Amino acid sequence: MTRYALRVASVGAALGLWQLLTSLDIDLWLRFSQFPTVADVARAFADRLAGDDYWTDLTDSLTRIVTGFLLAAVLGVATGVLVARSRLAEDLLGPILEVVRPIPAIALVPVAILLFPSNEQGIVFITFTAAFFPVLVSTRHAVRALPPGWEEAVRTMGGGRWRILGSVVLPGALPGIFGGLSVGIGVSWICVISAEMISGQYGVGYRTWQDYTVVDYPGVFVGMVTIGVLGWATSTAVELLGRRLTRWLPRTSYVPTGRARPKGPRPPAPAPATSSTVPTGPEPAEARDEHLV
């Protein structure tokens, strides 16, 4: 409860400082007099919630994100495992992937416009590209970092290639895979909003840019808040799914002293020594044998 109270208090303090600086028109190098107040943004938010355009934009942006991100998750994990496990795949796909990977996804907007017949498909392509490479790289490193003894143990017990993939490679690489998914969903939001601003017809990014062009600054902040909340919600969903699928991993929790301790029940304390438990002489042979059994 204390941690949640601190989080709420930090958000409240930030909003209070924002309201104070903007309502008093403070100009100390940073021009807060140009900013809308928290009350202005709240009124604009309430007006948007009462209209249909806001929910249409929200639905369009979420559809683009979910479609592109799911494609990136499936293909990124599959390609990462393939490149990490096959030298032939690494030789064929590695150079192409490494050349394309440094190109920012938003720089591919002209390519998407020329390549796809509709803006909707182009935006989904940009979202897919933004999430694909973080997932690919994290999966590749996670698979290569697996101890070889795990695979050898499965082979010793008669397991084949698919058995190793399902019981060793994918479960062992899950923590690294979800690390890439968490990064990928954040990058996807950045790129989908940028793509909507450039070539979209609906969506949160498109509406935010339209508000800027008509000098509706409270509307701009409504879009920014919406983007932040949506990004936080989707990132939290990915993180919770990752925790659920990796429940077998040892975890730590923080105690007030600042030291980390493993989660779970504490081991029972050793029983104090009594006269009945203290050995008093040599143990009989039968008792030793029974103890060994």
Side-chain angles (χ1 to χ4, degrees), residues 123-150:
I123 294 175
V124 172
F125 169 73
I126 296 299
T127 307
F128 159 79
T129 307
F132 174 77
F133 287 103
V135 177
L136 165 69
V137 173
S138 62
T139 302
R140 183 181 62 189
H141 287 299
V143 172
R144 288 177 176 174
L146 293 176
W150 296 357

Side-chain angles (χ1 to χ4, degrees), residues 230-242:
L230 290 176
W232 168 79
T234 51
S235 298
T236 302
V238 171
E239 184 178 353
L240 291 177
L241 179 62

Side-chain angles (χ1 to χ4, degrees), residues 107-286:
L108 297 176
V109 169
V111 177
I113 294 174
L114 296 174
L115 189 62
F116 293 94
S118 68
N119 289 340
E120 189 70 23
Q121 296 172 355
I123 294 175
V124 172
F125 169 73
I126 296 299
T127 307
F128 159 79
T129 307
F132 174 77
F133 287 103
V135 177
L136 165 69
V137 173
S138 62
T139 302
R140 183 181 62 189
H141 287 299
V143 172
R144 288 177 176 174
L146 293 176
W150 296 357
E151 181 175 344
E152 294 172 0
V154 176
R155 289 187 184 277
T156 302
M157 293 184 290
R161 179 178 301 176
W162 293 105
R163 180 67 175 178
I164 293 173
L165 182 65
S167 60
V168 174
V169 175
L170 291 180
L174 271 181
I177 290 174
F178 272 95
L181 292 174
S182 298
V183 176
I185 191 66
V187 180
S188 293
W189 273 111
I190 296 173
C191 292
V192 74
I193 295 301
S194 302
E196 288 175 349
M197 288 181 176
I198 295 173
S199 62
Q201 296 179 350
Y202 293 98
V204 180
Y206 169 80
R207 193 68 55 186
T208 303
W209 182 255
Q210 291 299 311
D211 291 333
Y212 172 74
T213 57
V214 297
V215 200
D216 182 9
Y217 294 126
V220 172
F221 277 87
V222 169
M224 293 170 60
V225 172
T226 302
I227 295 166
V229 172
L230 290 176
W232 168 79
T234 51
S235 298
T236 302
V238 171
E239 184 178 353
L240 291 177
L241 179 62
R243 288 183 180 181
R244 184 170 184 84
L245 294 179
T246 58
R247 288 178 295 180
W248 47 272
L249 284 173
R251 305 188 187 278
T252 58
S253 61
Y254 291 99
V255 294
T257 58
R259 294 176 297 175
R261 65 182 181 188
K263 288 186 177 180
R266 293 183 178 180
T274 60
S275 59
S276 60
T277 60
V278 176
T280 56
E283 190 177 14
E286 296 82 3

Side-chain angles (χ1 to χ4, degrees), residues 95-110:
I96 300 174
L97 294 173
E98 290 303 318
V99 169
V100 177
R101 184 165 67 94
I103 301 175
I106 198 60
L108 297 176
V109 169

